[in-house]
Amino acid sequence: QVQLVESGGGLVQAGGSVRLSCAASGRTFSSYVMGWFRQAPGKEREFVAAITWSGGNTYYADSVKGRFTISRDWAKNTVYLQMNSLKPEDTAVYYCAADGTNWYNPTSADFGSWGQGTQVTVSS
């Protein structure tokens, strides 16, 4: 199993930017896909972005396409989510996920390991 620790959340004004980090440890070599999900109050957890650990293939939810960028750093075992042009509706707890088996339009069921989450609040 992979252990994940997210960081980088906080309060930001609409139109601003935030970069989230997810440091992975443990059996990282076995984690084919990593991703980001988010959950707003009263809503279900939803997919945000995914990336393959080795090949760099990426996939984004339509709601964030063109504004968010997922990337990974082999040497640091870290996955990033750069979020630009933030909107109030992006407010949520953001979760890093690993041990994924599907990078193309995945669901939460496709991932086996989860971080504790980091809050991102976008003020209008």
Side-chain angles (χ1 to χ4, degrees):
Q1 198 170 14
V2 179
Q3 290 77 48
L4 305 169
V5 177
E6 301 106 329
S7 61
L11 175 64
V12 62
Q13 288 188 333
S17 298
V18 167
R19 189 178 79 159
L20 304 182
S21 299
C22 174
S25 60
R27 295 175 58 86
T28 56
F29 61 88
S30 66
S31 185
Y32 174 60
V33 179
M34 295 189 70
W36 289 95
F37 286 73
R38 67 186 181 186
Q39 189 166 17
K43 295 187 177 181
E44 294 187 354
R45 189 172 299 189
E46 65 174 0
F47 167 73
V48 174
I51 187 168
T52 55
W53 192 250
S54 59
N57 292 304
T58 60
Y59 188 83
Y60 297 91
D62 288 342
S63 59
V64 307
K65 201 173 296 182
R67 299 188 298 123
F68 291 11
T69 302
I70 188 171
S71 62
R72 81 279 187 265
D73 185 321
W74 273 90
K76 297 181 179 179
N77 279 344
T78 299
V79 174
Y80 303 97
L81 185 67
Q82 178 67 45
M83 304 189 294
N84 299 328
S85 302
L86 284 162
K87 305 175 182 180
E89 51 264 43
D90 293 319
T91 295
V93 177
Y94 282 73
Y95 296 91
C96 180
D99 286 336
T101 57
N102 175 31
W103 63 271
Y104 190 85
N105 196 20
T107 68
S108 57
D110 292 318
F111 294 83
S113 298
W114 294 86
Q116 81 286 355
T118 185
Q119 177 71 46
V120 174
T121 302
V122 184
S123 63
S124 58

